[in-house]
Amino acid sequence: MAASWRLRCDPRLLRCLLGFSRSPGLVKGAAGRSVGRGASWRWFHSTKWLRADPITILMPSLSPTMEEGNIVKWLKKEGEAVSAGDALCEIETDKAVVTLDASDDGILAKIVVAEGSKNIRLGSLIGLLVEEGEDWKHVEIPKDIGPSSPASKASVPCPSPEPQISTPVKKEHIPGKLQFRLSPAARNILEKHGLDANQGTATGPRGIFTKEDALKLVQLKQMSKMTESRPTPALPTIPTASLPPRATARPSYPRPMIPPVSTPGQPNVAGTFTEVPTSNIRRVIAKRLTESKRTVPHAYATTDCDLGAVLKVRQNLVRDDIKVSVNDFIIKAAAVTLKQMPSVNVSWDGESPKQLPFIDISVAVATDRGLITPVIKDAAAKGLPEIADSVKALSKKARDGKLLPEEYQGGSFSISNLGMFGIDEFTAVINPPQACILAVGRFRPVLKLTQDEEGNAKLQQHQLITVTMSSDSRVVDDELATRFLESFKANLENPIRLA
């Protein structure tokens, strides 16, 4: 373990330690008694003359979209020995719960961020390690460790502070002036720059003034396009007696813009609501779905597939004690179709399409924390039993929050199946940078008029499913999406093609 040592001793003590003292083997202690060399080293090591900088444990980036994480549980206690590769703690990312392993040997000296803490920014200090033999109980927490704050960087180039900025942040409520509910990040930015939320517009849910709204105010101020708020000279002269009537004045709108938060014991009071904590996964899902619908031109194509042959093959496999689901057939059919039509196995990198050399199918799995898409690697080359085993194992790990980053990152094509919930058909949102996602409904019995071998018409029951493909029109146009669904339908209705 690397550690930077700082020696703080007088020359006589240093000479003695190096063996150059006049009395070999002896050194005078602080109390004047003679001590052996081994004892002198122990005395020297136990004092503050020899110190080591602790090794910092920072909040790591465990997924490409991760911006902050939650400490679920510490697996080591303070004072406990740690070896490289040992699990230190469990961290909830925007995708799953991942174990953080130690990269050095030593002792866990300090847990800076307790378990259960949420929204810890990347690069924040969460713990300290020291080398074995050091005094871990008196380790000092470094003060210069922490994530870089955009707000603090923006406040550096401000050359000429104005009198309005130095005014106290805690301002008196002026009746008739609109008040916003501020997010913690927005409040911090407004306090640092001396700005008033009433100078901007709240765009968050339920009228919350968000971090983005505060950054817009800072940008407008730096560009000198916003009029600075100045104290009204008439306010100090207003008599105190006139304030109560103005404070009780009703707003012009019939109900408040921002309902008050409900209080414990009064959950059903009219005009109140209860804030529900959001997991990192659901927060990222909301952000990515919004970006997808706003930036990706979605096109939709729908077709019905007959599952009669698939159900017969599945029954034969069950007799041989091979358990596969209809969804496994769908995954295999999609992978085979992508291999036949590589022009659909593409992604959009922001400027141009990229044809992918691998066929990895992302399968949507619903968990208590939100939706996650583990990836079936090289699905076209796998058999149905192997796909079934992979789906079962990855689905269990997803629900337990134990997916590794490489098990849910990437993917060239997504499948979302809501048939087990009784949904006939639906449309899904594309997961960028992927270009397509297939939405699968339940299979249902349908009577269809067919002809027998002699040409006589008869009613026959068919098991149909409805699939809808959402495609990125920049990469997969309507004609290409239609041909893909035709090939997919043919492959699924003839399972012999999947071999």
Side-chain angles (χ1 to χ4, degrees):
M1 178 186 302
S4 59
W5 298 95
R6 298 191 295 270
L7 292 173
R8 299 178 181 175
C9 58
D10 56 26
R12 290 177 298 174
L13 183 57
L14 185 59
R15 283 197 303 270
C16 174
L17 292 173
L18 297 177
F20 298 117
S21 106
R22 296 177 182 176
S23 302
L26 297 176
V27 63
K28 291 288 185 178
R33 64 178 184 272
S34 297
V35 192
R37 258 188 202 171
S40 68
W41 174 252
R42 288 193 299 270
W43 168 81
F44 178 74
H45 191 276
S46 63
T47 59
K48 64 181 180 180
W49 299 100
L50 187 60
R51 297 180 181 176
D53 292 334
I55 297 178
T56 57
I57 306 172
L58 306 180
M59 174 63 73
S61 176
L62 300 173
S63 74
T65 57
M66 179 179 174
E67 297 179 356
E68 53 189 24
N70 303 336
I71 304 294
V72 178
K73 183 181 180 181
W74 279 97
L75 305 177
K76 296 288 184 180
K77 299 179 181 179
E78 292 185 356
E80 191 172 350
V82 175
S83 300
D86 287 354
L88 286 176
C89 63
E90 293 180 349
I91 297 176
E92 181 188 6
T93 69
D94 55 345
K95 298 288 186 182
V97 177
V98 182
T99 301
L100 175 64
D101 297 333
S103 57
D104 295 280
D105 299 334
I107 296 176
L108 182 58
K110 186 70 176 177
I111 295 177
V112 179
V113 180
E115 62 182 44
S117 302
K118 298 187 177 183
N119 303 330
I120 311 301
R121 298 289 299 178
L122 296 185
S124 298
L125 181 66
I126 62 175
L128 295 173
L129 281 175
V130 296
E131 190 175 355
E132 293 184 8
E134 295 181 27
D135 187 7
W136 61 270
K137 295 183 180 179
H138 299 91
V139 66
E140 296 181 359
I141 301 177
K143 298 181 179 180
D144 55 345
I145 302 294
S148 57
S149 172
S152 60
K153 290 181 181 178
S155 61
V156 173
C158 222
S160 56
E162 298 183 348
Q164 291 81 358
I165 300 177
S166 60
T167 57
V169 179
K170 200 170 183 180
K171 298 182 180 180
E172 194 175 351
H173 172 62
I174 302 176
K177 194 173 185 180
L178 184 60
Q179 297 294 311
F180 292 111
R181 291 179 63 239
L182 305 177
S183 68
R187 182 180 292 105
N188 185 30
I189 294 174
L190 293 176
E191 289 177 359
K192 286 185 178 181
H193 293 270
L195 298 175
D196 189 356
N198 292 283
Q199 294 173 320
T201 304
T203 61
R206 299 187 299 273
I208 296 178
F209 198 90
T210 63
K211 173 184 175 182
E212 288 73 18
D213 301 331
L215 292 176
K216 287 180 182 178
L217 276 180
V218 174
Q219 185 179 6
L220 289 174
K221 177 185 175 182
Q222 292 176 349
M223 295 174 62
S224 301
K225 290 184 179 181
M226 185 182 69
T227 58
E228 297 288 345
S229 60
R230 302 183 181 277
T232 308
L235 280 179
T237 60
I238 297 178
T240 331
S242 63
L243 286 178
R246 293 182 60 187
T248 57
R250 299 281 182 181
S252 58
Y253 40 83
R255 58 180 297 181
M257 286 182 60
I258 308 166
V261 180
S262 63
T263 56
Q266 297 178 338
N268 298 322
V269 177
T272 65
F273 65 91
T274 302
E275 290 187 353
V276 179
T278 305
S279 66
N280 287 345
I281 295 178
R282 292 191 183 276
R283 194 179 298 114
V284 171
I285 288 173
K287 180 180 179 181
R288 290 180 62 83
L289 289 182
T290 303
E291 290 177 355
S292 177
K293 290 295 288 185
R294 186 176 64 245
T295 61
V296 177
H298 284 59
Y300 307 100
T302 303
T303 189
D304 290 331
C305 301
D306 193 337
L307 290 182
V310 166
L311 295 178
K312 289 180 181 179
V313 173
R314 183 168 176 260
Q315 288 176 356
N316 295 332
L317 293 174
V318 170
R319 293 192 188 101
D320 296 334
D321 201 22
I322 300 176
K323 297 180 180 180
V324 294
S325 67
V326 173
N327 198 52
D328 300 329
F329 282 90
I330 294 172
I331 294 172
K332 180 66 175 177
V336 170
T337 309
L338 288 172
K339 187 175 181 179
Q340 296 170 348
M341 301 180 62
S343 54
V344 182
N345 193 46
V346 293
S347 65
W348 179 265
D349 66 351
E351 295 181 357
S352 60
K354 288 184 177 179
Q355 186 166 326
L356 304 176
F358 51 85
I359 299 176
D360 297 343
I361 305 296
S362 301
V363 181
V365 176
T367 68
D368 295 337
R369 291 176 294 273
L371 198 68
I372 192 168
T373 53
V375 179
I376 310 298
K377 304 285 186 180
D378 198 13
K382 291 182 176 179
L384 284 169
E386 193 175 358
I387 290 177
D389 293 340
S390 298
V391 171
K392 290 175 185 176
L394 291 174
S395 298
K396 186 179 185 305
K397 293 182 71 174
R399 295 187 180 97
D400 295 340
K402 301 297 183 181
L403 280 177
L404 300 176
E406 59 268 20
E407 293 174 330
Y408 58 78
Q409 293 176 5
S412 57
F413 189 92
S414 291
I415 295 177
S416 180
N417 191 339
L418 294 181
M420 65 285 295
F421 300 106
I423 303 300
D424 289 336
E425 61 178 292
F426 68 103
T427 56
V429 181
I430 298 172
N431 183 23
Q434 296 180 11
C436 300
I437 182 171
L438 191 69
V440 183
R442 68 182 180 94
F443 62 90
R444 61 198 186 279
V446 176
L447 289 176
K448 294 181 67 176
L449 189 63
T450 59
Q451 290 184 348
D452 56 16
E453 297 177 354
E454 299 178 356
N456 299 321
K458 65 175 183 177
L459 283 175
Q460 189 174 2
Q461 180 174 290
H462 295 262
Q463 298 290 340
L464 302 183
I465 61 167
T466 300
V467 295
T468 301
M469 189 171 81
S470 307
S471 56
D472 187 344
S473 296
R474 299 170 297 184
V475 184
V476 180
D477 57 22
D478 294 340
E479 187 268 340
L480 184 58
T482 301
R483 288 195 292 112
F484 177 87
L485 281 184
E486 288 177 350
S487 298
F488 172 81
K489 176 184 173 71
N491 290 330
L492 187 61
E493 292 181 347
N494 298 276
I496 192 65
R497 297 187 178 186
L498 306 181

